[in-house]
Structures are given as C-alpha cells and as structure tokens.
Amino acid sequence: EAQVTQNPRYLITVTGKKLTVTCSQNMNHEYMSWYRQDPGLGLRQIYYSMNVEVTDKGDVPEGYKVSRKEKRNFPLILESPSPNQTSLYFCATKRGYSYEQYFGPGTRLTVT
Amino acid sequence: KNEVEQSPQNLTAQEGEFITINCSYSVGISALHWLQQHPGGGIVSLFMLSSGKKKHGRLIATINIQEKHSSLHITASHPRDSAVYICAVTGTASKLTFGTGTRLQVTL
C-alpha cells in the first residue's frame, strides 16, 4: 500500500529542546516537501527536495532544517523550537514535477 | 493580496444541493490542485488539472487558464462531503501555493 508516514503524530515540547519529525514514503517518489498549516494562513511550504541531496527553501524556512540522504526519508529538524512553531505539519511527496501530491497524516506540534 | 483566493470561506448546504467553490489565482501556473481535508486533519488530493474539466464521481473540477479561475462542483451533496476544500497551484520550481480553504458543512 502506497504510504507517507510521519512520526510522531503528536508532540508537546518546550522551547529550545531540539526535535526531529520524520517523514518516510514507500512510493519511490523523487519530490518531497514539508508544510505547516496555521488557522487563517492555510498551508505554507517550509522546505522541499527534488531528489536525494537536493533541498531548497520554501516560503517559511526560518527555524527549520531538513536533510535528504535517502530517497524515502525527509526529516524536519527544529534545532531550537519556539512557541511560534506550534502548528500542524504535513509531509508530502510526488513522483515528479507535474504529478499530484500525496500527504502524510500530519504532526501536531505544540511548543510551550 | 494572496496569490490564491478562494470563495466562499464558509459554506453550509442541505443534503442534495449542488455546490460550487471558486478559486482565483494571480500567478502563472503549470497545474491547479483541489484538495480535501477532513476534520481529522488528513489531506487528500481530489484533482490536478491544467486545462478543461475533470470529473470523479459527484465531483467536477474546471479551470479557465485565460481567466485564472477554477471551480469545484459537488453534485447531490451529502453530509460525508463536509470538509475543508483547498485550492493550490503549482508555480515555478514545483512550488505549491495554497488558498486558505473553504469550509463546507452539509446538513441533513
């Protein structure tokens, strides 16, 4: 079954404590992306990756890091989380430029 | 002004009604997407289109490239259609830009 998995699904943490949200896909897709969703602002792209070892900034990359060492995994790293990073995060993948995106189930992060 | 605007923001309909959600965009695009987000939060891609019209079951999506406008229609609406519907466009470098969504509630 085609899947995009995210872990953890829910996380409450404190300001400054480094965390990683993992994203994994089993569809051999080249393109992966991270989004955050906030009320009234909709979904905004944080980072994306066109292929292994190729990553680029989206609209709101400040405070986040990513890496793409393997095709299937695209972790999102918050080195020093702050309360304004409290949000619902989605990972998404697609086969290439002109294809539909498949979204993970979401990770709800609260930073206190 | 947002690059992708949706209307209405909220919509309540009775079961069986024909529903239209509109999306206008202001940038050059290679494709437009309609997504559905249920109350649990998961996002599903409904359509991706770059011209004309697509139909899937009771859902129809149209796009007018010259007018930079797309519509999502739901025929014979049902309470299970209650969700947030999101329009998004693919611009340069495969970047997706999203509208803020239309919250649809279908009542019995």
Side-chain angles (χ1 to χ4, degrees):
Chain A
E1 181 194 349
Q3 268 193 329
V4 183
T5 56
Q6 290 180 228
N7 282 293
R9 295 289 312 280
Y10 302 91
L11 180 60
I12 301 173
T13 190
V14 296
T15 298
K17 185 176 180 183
K18 181 180 178 180
L19 66 93
T20 299
V21 183
T22 64
C23 174
S24 184
Q25 52 105 351
N26 64 0
M27 293 172 277
N28 203 36
H29 285 175
E30 292 176 347
Y31 180 93
M32 298 185 75
S33 185
W34 276 104
Y35 302 95
R36 59 178 289 173
Q37 186 178 37
D38 302 290
L41 297 175
L43 285 151
R44 293 177 292 168
Q45 190 175 49
I46 303 170
Y47 270 95
Y48 64 96
S49 169
M50 305 283 275
N51 213 326
V52 175
E53 301 293 0
V54 180
T55 63
D56 211 343
K57 296 177 181 178
D59 294 317
V60 288
E62 296 78 20
Y64 304 94
K65 282 174 56 176
V66 292
S67 69
R68 187 91 183 273
K69 293 186 172 55
E70 308 166 274
K71 201 170 191 178
R72 61 182 290 122
N73 296 322
F74 190 44
L76 179 70
I77 303 155
L78 285 72
E79 295 268 4
S80 183
S82 62
N84 65 11
Q85 292 177 298
T86 293
S87 188
L88 179 59
Y89 291 87
F90 288 97
C91 177
T93 81
K94 64 178 179 176
R95 197 188 335 165
Y97 183 76
S98 298
Y99 293 89
E100 66 178 308
Q101 293 215 3
Y102 293 82
F103 287 82
T107 294
R108 188 167 292 281
L109 172 65
T110 302
V111 184
T112 61
Chain B
K1 187 179 190 299
N2 290 336
E3 293 179 340
V4 181
E5 298 272 359
Q6 287 185 238
S7 63
Q9 285 188 308
N10 294 284
L11 183 55
T12 300
Q14 283 202 312
E15 184 177 11
E17 283 186 15
F18 180 83
I19 289 163
T20 296
I21 299 170
N22 295 299
C23 176
S24 296
Y25 54 92
S26 57
V27 295
I29 69 169
S30 59
L32 184 141
H33 307 256
W34 282 103
L35 310 171
Q36 181 191 55
Q37 185 172 25
H38 276 286
I43 299 174
V44 174
S45 178
L46 297 175
F47 295 104
M48 186 182 76
L49 63 166
S50 54
S51 65
K53 178 178 171 177
K54 286 191 176 180
K55 185 175 190 287
H56 186 252
R58 295 180 295 107
L59 273 59
I60 303 165
T62 64
I63 187 168
N64 184 318
I65 297 293
Q66 286 73 29
E67 295 186 5
K68 294 187 174 172
H69 181 268
S70 176
S71 293
L72 176 68
H73 306 286
I74 305 175
T75 62
S77 59
H78 189 276
R80 65 174 173 267
D81 297 325
S82 298
V84 175
Y85 292 84
I86 302 168
C87 174
V89 297
T90 303
T92 56
S94 215
K95 181 175 175 294
L96 262 186
T97 303
F98 298 84
T100 53
T102 295
R103 186 175 298 275
L104 171 65
Q105 179 80 26
V106 181
T107 59
L108 291 169

mmCIF file of all heavy atoms in Angstrom, chain B residues 26-63:
data_model
loop_
_atom_site.group_PDB
_atom_site.id
_atom_site.type_symbol
_atom_site.label_atom_id
_atom_site.label_comp_id
_atom_site.label_asym_id
_atom_site.label_seq_id
_atom_site.Cartn_x
_atom_site.Cartn_y
_atom_site.Cartn_z
ATOM 1 N N SER B 26 -3.326 34.486 -9.216
ATOM 2 C CA SER B 26 -2.766 35.671 -9.865
ATOM 3 C C SER B 26 -1.386 35.421 -10.464
ATOM 4 O O SER B 26 -0.764 36.333 -10.984
ATOM 5 C CB SER B 26 -2.677 36.832 -8.874
ATOM 6 O OG SER B 26 -1.899 36.462 -7.753
ATOM 7 N N VAL B 27 -0.906 34.177 -10.396
ATOM 8 C CA VAL B 27 0.435 33.865 -10.893
ATOM 9 C C VAL B 27 0.341 32.882 -12.045
ATOM 10 O O VAL B 27 -0.692 32.240 -12.245
ATOM 11 C CB VAL B 27 1.306 33.271 -9.774
ATOM 12 C CG1 VAL B 27 1.531 34.308 -8.681
ATOM 13 C CG2 VAL B 27 0.682 32.015 -9.179
ATOM 14 N N GLY B 28 1.443 32.774 -12.799
ATOM 15 C CA GLY B 28 1.492 31.751 -13.831
ATOM 16 C C GLY B 28 1.608 30.379 -13.194
ATOM 17 O O GLY B 28 2.310 30.211 -12.212
ATOM 18 N N ILE B 29 0.880 29.416 -13.739
ATOM 19 C CA ILE B 29 0.880 28.101 -13.124
ATOM 20 C C ILE B 29 1.085 27.017 -14.169
ATOM 21 O O ILE B 29 0.844 27.217 -15.355
ATOM 22 C CB ILE B 29 -0.428 27.815 -12.342
ATOM 23 C CG1 ILE B 29 -1.609 27.670 -13.311
ATOM 24 C CG2 ILE B 29 -0.682 28.909 -11.316
ATOM 25 C CD1 ILE B 29 -2.861 27.119 -12.645
ATOM 26 N N SER B 30 1.537 25.864 -13.692
ATOM 27 C CA SER B 30 1.597 24.697 -14.571
ATOM 28 C C SER B 30 0.460 23.731 -14.250
ATOM 29 O O SER B 30 0.100 22.903 -15.088
ATOM 30 C CB SER B 30 2.943 23.980 -14.417
ATOM 31 O OG SER B 30 3.120 23.579 -13.080
ATOM 32 N N ALA B 31 -0.100 23.834 -13.048
ATOM 33 C CA ALA B 31 -1.218 22.968 -12.685
ATOM 34 C C ALA B 31 -1.961 23.560 -11.498
ATOM 35 O O ALA B 31 -1.401 24.345 -10.721
ATOM 36 C CB ALA B 31 -0.734 21.557 -12.329
ATOM 37 N N LEU B 32 -3.219 23.175 -11.368
ATOM 38 C CA LEU B 32 -4.034 23.579 -10.224
ATOM 39 C C LEU B 32 -4.553 22.319 -9.549
ATOM 40 O O LEU B 32 -4.908 21.333 -10.216
ATOM 41 C CB LEU B 32 -5.194 24.467 -10.691
ATOM 42 C CG LEU B 32 -6.089 25.039 -9.590
ATOM 43 C CD1 LEU B 32 -6.491 26.483 -9.897
ATOM 44 C CD2 LEU B 32 -7.304 24.186 -9.346
ATOM 45 N N HIS B 33 -4.576 22.354 -8.228
ATOM 46 C CA HIS B 33 -4.967 21.184 -7.453
ATOM 47 C C HIS B 33 -6.167 21.528 -6.586
ATOM 48 O O HIS B 33 -6.254 22.637 -6.039
ATOM 49 C CB HIS B 33 -3.829 20.747 -6.530
ATOM 50 C CG HIS B 33 -2.519 20.545 -7.215
ATOM 51 N ND1 HIS B 33 -2.002 19.303 -7.493
ATOM 52 C CD2 HIS B 33 -1.616 21.437 -7.680
ATOM 53 C CE1 HIS B 33 -0.832 19.439 -8.087
ATOM 54 N NE2 HIS B 33 -0.567 20.734 -8.213
ATOM 55 N N TRP B 34 -7.036 20.563 -6.432
ATOM 56 C CA TRP B 34 -8.087 20.642 -5.415
ATOM 57 C C TRP B 34 -7.825 19.539 -4.398
ATOM 58 O O TRP B 34 -7.649 18.364 -4.754
ATOM 59 C CB TRP B 34 -9.468 20.480 -6.029
ATOM 60 C CG TRP B 34 -9.965 21.717 -6.702
ATOM 61 C CD1 TRP B 34 -10.002 21.972 -8.049
ATOM 62 C CD2 TRP B 34 -10.510 22.883 -6.069
ATOM 63 N NE1 TRP B 34 -10.524 23.231 -8.276
ATOM 64 C CE2 TRP B 34 -10.847 23.807 -7.079
ATOM 65 C CE3 TRP B 34 -10.751 23.246 -4.735
ATOM 66 C CZ2 TRP B 34 -11.413 25.055 -6.809
ATOM 67 C CZ3 TRP B 34 -11.303 24.481 -4.466
ATOM 68 C CH2 TRP B 34 -11.633 25.375 -5.496
ATOM 69 N N LEU B 35 -7.801 19.946 -3.131
ATOM 70 C CA LEU B 35 -7.525 19.031 -2.033
ATOM 71 C C LEU B 35 -8.710 19.023 -1.081
ATOM 72 O O LEU B 35 -9.446 20.013 -0.975
ATOM 73 C CB LEU B 35 -6.274 19.476 -1.272
ATOM 74 C CG LEU B 35 -5.026 19.788 -2.098
ATOM 75 C CD1 LEU B 35 -3.964 20.432 -1.218
ATOM 76 C CD2 LEU B 35 -4.493 18.542 -2.749
ATOM 77 N N GLN B 36 -8.855 17.905 -0.365
ATOM 78 C CA GLN B 36 -9.913 17.793 0.631
ATOM 79 C C GLN B 36 -9.273 17.461 1.973
ATOM 80 O O GLN B 36 -8.440 16.552 2.060
ATOM 81 C CB GLN B 36 -10.885 16.691 0.227
ATOM 82 C CG GLN B 36 -12.051 16.485 1.170
ATOM 83 C CD GLN B 36 -12.807 15.203 0.828
ATOM 84 O OE1 GLN B 36 -12.234 14.128 0.764
ATOM 85 N NE2 GLN B 36 -14.115 15.324 0.611
ATOM 86 N N GLN B 37 -9.687 18.194 2.999
ATOM 87 C CA GLN B 37 -9.176 17.947 4.349
ATOM 88 C C GLN B 37 -10.354 17.699 5.269
ATOM 89 O O GLN B 37 -11.163 18.575 5.536
ATOM 90 C CB GLN B 37 -8.342 19.122 4.850
ATOM 91 C CG GLN B 37 -7.683 18.853 6.193
ATOM 92 C CD GLN B 37 -6.713 19.939 6.604
ATOM 93 O OE1 GLN B 37 -6.834 21.081 6.169
ATOM 94 N NE2 GLN B 37 -5.745 19.599 7.428
ATOM 95 N N HIS B 38 -10.419 16.468 5.805
ATOM 96 C CA HIS B 38 -11.494 16.115 6.706
ATOM 97 C C HIS B 38 -11.169 16.578 8.118
ATOM 98 O O HIS B 38 -10.006 16.894 8.436
ATOM 99 C CB HIS B 38 -11.761 14.614 6.663
ATOM 100 C CG HIS B 38 -12.661 14.223 5.543
ATOM 101 N ND1 HIS B 38 -14.027 14.482 5.580
ATOM 102 C CD2 HIS B 38 -12.438 13.639 4.351
ATOM 103 C CE1 HIS B 38 -14.585 14.053 4.456
ATOM 104 N NE2 HIS B 38 -13.641 13.537 3.700
ATOM 105 N N PRO B 39 -12.185 16.614 8.985
ATOM 106 C CA PRO B 39 -11.977 17.115 10.358
ATOM 107 C C PRO B 39 -10.825 16.440 11.081
ATOM 108 O O PRO B 39 -10.191 17.056 11.918
ATOM 109 C CB PRO B 39 -13.331 16.829 11.030
ATOM 110 C CG PRO B 39 -14.318 16.866 9.906
ATOM 111 C CD PRO B 39 -13.606 16.316 8.713
ATOM 112 N N GLY B 40 -10.530 15.200 10.795
ATOM 113 C CA GLY B 40 -9.394 14.523 11.425
ATOM 114 C C GLY B 40 -8.057 15.094 11.010
ATOM 115 O O GLY B 40 -7.039 14.833 11.657
ATOM 116 N N GLY B 41 -8.016 15.859 9.927
ATOM 117 C CA GLY B 41 -6.804 16.555 9.526
ATOM 118 C C GLY B 41 -6.144 16.048 8.280
ATOM 119 O O GLY B 41 -5.383 16.779 7.654
ATOM 120 N N GLY B 42 -6.408 14.802 7.882
ATOM 121 C CA GLY B 42 -5.735 14.245 6.719
ATOM 122 C C GLY B 42 -6.114 14.966 5.442
ATOM 123 O O GLY B 42 -7.241 15.457 5.282
ATOM 124 N N ILE B 43 -5.161 15.084 4.513
ATOM 125 C CA ILE B 43 -5.369 15.799 3.250
ATOM 126 C C ILE B 43 -5.304 14.807 2.098
ATOM 127 O O ILE B 43 -4.358 14.014 2.011
ATOM 128 C CB ILE B 43 -4.312 16.893 3.057
ATOM 129 C CG1 ILE B 43 -4.406 17.930 4.181
ATOM 130 C CG2 ILE B 43 -4.485 17.579 1.698
ATOM 131 C CD1 ILE B 43 -3.303 18.975 4.159
ATOM 132 N N VAL B 44 -6.293 14.892 1.239
ATOM 133 C CA VAL B 44 -6.367 14.003 0.081
ATOM 134 C C VAL B 44 -6.430 14.850 -1.180
ATOM 135 O O VAL B 44 -7.143 15.852 -1.216
ATOM 136 C CB VAL B 44 -7.622 13.112 0.168
ATOM 137 C CG1 VAL B 44 -7.780 12.287 -1.096
ATOM 138 C CG2 VAL B 44 -7.528 12.195 1.373
ATOM 139 N N SER B 45 -5.691 14.456 -2.181
ATOM 140 C CA SER B 45 -5.742 15.146 -3.464
ATOM 141 C C SER B 45 -6.960 14.674 -4.244
ATOM 142 O O SER B 45 -7.135 13.470 -4.457
ATOM 143 C CB SER B 45 -4.461 14.863 -4.258
ATOM 144 O OG SER B 45 -4.504 15.482 -5.510
ATOM 145 N N LEU B 46 -7.817 15.622 -4.650
ATOM 146 C CA LEU B 46 -9.006 15.277 -5.420
ATOM 147 C C LEU B 46 -8.737 15.364 -6.918
ATOM 148 O O LEU B 46 -9.105 14.471 -7.683
ATOM 149 C CB LEU B 46 -10.154 16.233 -5.063
ATOM 150 C CG LEU B 46 -10.663 16.209 -3.631
ATOM 151 C CD1 LEU B 46 -11.698 17.304 -3.424
ATOM 152 C CD2 LEU B 46 -11.243 14.841 -3.280
ATOM 153 N N PHE B 47 -8.163 16.475 -7.339
ATOM 154 C CA PHE B 47 -7.912 16.710 -8.753
ATOM 155 C C PHE B 47 -6.604 17.463 -8.940
ATOM 156 O O PHE B 47 -6.226 18.273 -8.107
ATOM 157 C CB PHE B 47 -9.019 17.592 -9.390
ATOM 158 C CG PHE B 47 -10.374 16.971 -9.434
ATOM 159 C CD1 PHE B 47 -11.359 17.356 -8.541
ATOM 160 C CD2 PHE B 47 -10.683 16.032 -10.399
ATOM 161 C CE1 PHE B 47 -12.628 16.804 -8.590
ATOM 162 C CE2 PHE B 47 -11.954 15.469 -10.468
ATOM 163 C CZ PHE B 47 -12.919 15.855 -9.551
ATOM 164 N N MET B 48 -5.967 17.182 -10.068
ATOM 165 C CA MET B 48 -4.903 18.027 -10.572
ATOM 166 C C MET B 48 -5.237 18.304 -12.030
ATOM 167 O O MET B 48 -5.480 17.364 -12.788
ATOM 168 C CB MET B 48 -3.542 17.360 -10.472
ATOM 169 C CG MET B 48 -2.402 18.263 -10.862
ATOM 170 S SD MET B 48 -0.801 17.463 -10.802
ATOM 171 C CE MET B 48 -0.863 16.482 -12.284
ATOM 172 N N LEU B 49 -5.327 19.578 -12.400
ATOM 173 C CA LEU B 49 -5.687 19.877 -13.781
ATOM 174 C C LEU B 49 -4.938 21.094 -14.296
ATOM 175 O O LEU B 49 -4.579 21.984 -13.524
ATOM 176 C CB LEU B 49 -7.206 20.033 -13.945
ATOM 177 C CG LEU B 49 -7.999 21.123 -13.242
ATOM 178 C CD1 LEU B 49 -9.393 21.234 -13.863
ATOM 179 C CD2 LEU B 49 -8.124 20.889 -11.778
ATOM 180 N N SER B 50 -4.693 21.097 -15.583
ATOM 181 C CA SER B 50 -4.012 22.220 -16.214
ATOM 182 C C SER B 50 -4.866 22.829 -17.322
ATOM 183 O O SER B 50 -4.525 23.892 -17.839
ATOM 184 C CB SER B 50 -2.659 21.791 -16.771
ATOM 185 O OG SER B 50 -2.818 20.683 -17.619
ATOM 186 N N SER B 51 -5.955 22.167 -17.674
ATOM 187 C CA SER B 51 -6.878 22.729 -18.661
ATOM 188 C C SER B 51 -8.195 21.976 -18.580
ATOM 189 O O SER B 51 -8.238 20.831 -18.104
ATOM 190 C CB SER B 51 -6.302 22.626 -20.077
ATOM 191 O OG SER B 51 -6.175 21.278 -20.448
ATOM 192 N N GLY B 52 -9.262 22.619 -19.045
ATOM 193 C CA GLY B 52 -10.525 21.933 -19.223
ATOM 194 C C GLY B 52 -11.232 21.526 -17.951
ATOM 195 O O GLY B 52 -11.450 22.328 -17.051
ATOM 196 N N LYS B 53 -11.589 20.273 -17.903
ATOM 197 C CA LYS B 53 -12.519 19.787 -16.898
ATOM 198 C C LYS B 53 -12.170 18.348 -16.546
ATOM 199 O O LYS B 53 -11.739 17.565 -17.401
ATOM 200 C CB LYS B 53 -13.911 19.861 -17.534
ATOM 201 C CG LYS B 53 -15.076 19.383 -16.727
ATOM 202 C CD LYS B 53 -16.349 19.620 -17.567
ATOM 203 C CE LYS B 53 -17.572 18.998 -16.965
ATOM 204 N NZ LYS B 53 -18.784 19.308 -17.750
ATOM 205 N N LYS B 54 -12.359 17.998 -15.262
ATOM 206 C CA LYS B 54 -12.214 16.610 -14.837
ATOM 207 C C LYS B 54 -13.383 16.249 -13.950
ATOM 208 O O LYS B 54 -13.909 17.090 -13.219
ATOM 209 C CB LYS B 54 -10.892 16.412 -14.087
ATOM 210 C CG LYS B 54 -9.672 16.404 -14.979
ATOM 211 C CD LYS B 54 -8.431 15.939 -14.224
ATOM 212 C CE LYS B 54 -7.234 15.846 -15.155
ATOM 213 N NZ LYS B 54 -6.016 15.390 -14.455
ATOM 214 N N LYS B 55 -13.752 14.971 -13.996
ATOM 215 C CA LYS B 55 -14.897 14.501 -13.206
ATOM 216 C C LYS B 55 -14.505 13.224 -12.493
ATOM 217 O O LYS B 55 -13.868 12.331 -13.063
ATOM 218 C CB LYS B 55 -16.089 14.258 -14.148
ATOM 219 C CG LYS B 55 -17.378 13.872 -13.451
ATOM 220 C CD LYS B 55 -18.512 13.784 -14.476
ATOM 221 C CE LYS B 55 -19.868 13.638 -13.813
ATOM 222 N NZ LYS B 55 -20.106 12.325 -13.236
ATOM 223 N N HIS B 56 -14.911 13.152 -11.228
ATOM 224 C CA HIS B 56 -14.697 11.928 -10.466
ATOM 225 C C HIS B 56 -15.897 11.736 -9.569
ATOM 226 O O HIS B 56 -16.063 12.439 -8.560
ATOM 227 C CB HIS B 56 -13.398 12.020 -9.649
ATOM 228 C CG HIS B 56 -13.063 10.737 -8.952
ATOM 229 N ND1 HIS B 56 -13.183 10.579 -7.601
ATOM 230 C CD2 HIS B 56 -12.627 9.557 -9.429
ATOM 231 C CE1 HIS B 56 -12.834 9.353 -7.284
ATOM 232 N NE2 HIS B 56 -12.486 8.714 -8.375
ATOM 233 N N GLY B 57 -16.749 10.795 -9.967
ATOM 234 C CA GLY B 57 -17.968 10.577 -9.196
ATOM 235 C C GLY B 57 -18.850 11.810 -9.219
ATOM 236 O O GLY B 57 -19.199 12.314 -10.294
ATOM 237 N N ARG B 58 -19.184 12.329 -8.030
ATOM 238 C CA ARG B 58 -20.042 13.520 -7.943
ATOM 239 C C ARG B 58 -19.257 14.825 -7.985
ATOM 240 O O ARG B 58 -19.819 15.905 -7.872
ATOM 241 C CB ARG B 58 -20.853 13.447 -6.653
ATOM 242 C CG ARG B 58 -21.853 12.281 -6.614
ATOM 243 C CD ARG B 58 -22.633 12.244 -5.299
ATOM 244 N NE ARG B 58 -21.759 11.966 -4.167
ATOM 245 C CZ ARG B 58 -21.390 12.850 -3.267
ATOM 246 N NH1 ARG B 58 -21.818 14.100 -3.337
ATOM 247 N NH2 ARG B 58 -20.607 12.495 -2.263
ATOM 248 N N LEU B 59 -17.960 14.728 -8.109
ATOM 249 C CA LEU B 59 -17.111 15.924 -8.102
ATOM 250 C C LEU B 59 -16.666 16.270 -9.519
ATOM 251 O O LEU B 59 -16.292 15.376 -10.297
ATOM 252 C CB LEU B 59 -15.873 15.690 -7.236
ATOM 253 C CG LEU B 59 -15.984 15.974 -5.738
ATOM 254 C CD1 LEU B 59 -17.057 15.134 -5.069
ATOM 255 C CD2 LEU B 59 -14.651 15.780 -5.060
ATOM 256 N N ILE B 60 -16.721 17.562 -9.802
ATOM 257 C CA ILE B 60 -16.285 18.075 -11.104
ATOM 258 C C ILE B 60 -15.390 19.275 -10.853
ATOM 259 O O ILE B 60 -15.738 20.154 -10.055
ATOM 260 C CB ILE B 60 -17.486 18.518 -11.962
ATOM 261 C CG1 ILE B 60 -18.480 17.371 -12.143
ATOM 262 C CG2 ILE B 60 -17.021 19.039 -13.331
ATOM 263 C CD1 ILE B 60 -19.834 17.813 -12.666
ATOM 264 N N ALA B 61 -14.254 19.317 -11.529
ATOM 265 C CA ALA B 61 -13.362 20.474 -11.427
ATOM 266 C C ALA B 61 -13.149 21.046 -12.819
ATOM 267 O O ALA B 61 -12.963 20.303 -13.783
ATOM 268 C CB ALA B 61 -12.035 20.074 -10.806
ATOM 269 N N THR B 62 -13.205 22.375 -12.898
ATOM 270 C CA THR B 62 -12.972 23.059 -14.165
ATOM 271 C C THR B 62 -11.908 24.118 -13.961
ATOM 272 O O THR B 62 -11.706 24.622 -12.854
ATOM 273 C CB THR B 62 -14.255 23.722 -14.692
ATOM 274 O OG1 THR B 62 -14.658 24.754 -13.775
ATOM 275 C CG2 THR B 62 -15.385 22.726 -14.825
ATOM 276 N N ILE B 63 -11.237 24.463 -15.051
ATOM 277 C CA ILE B 63 -10.248 25.531 -14.993
ATOM 278 C C ILE B 63 -10.318 26.351 -16.271
ATOM 279 O O ILE B 63 -10.500 25.800 -17.368
ATOM 280 C CB ILE B 63 -8.830 24.986 -14.749
ATOM 281 C CG1 ILE B 63 -7.847 26.136 -14.512
ATOM 282 C CG2 ILE B 63 -8.361 24.093 -15.888
ATOM 283 C CD1 ILE B 63 -6.488 25.694 -13.986
#
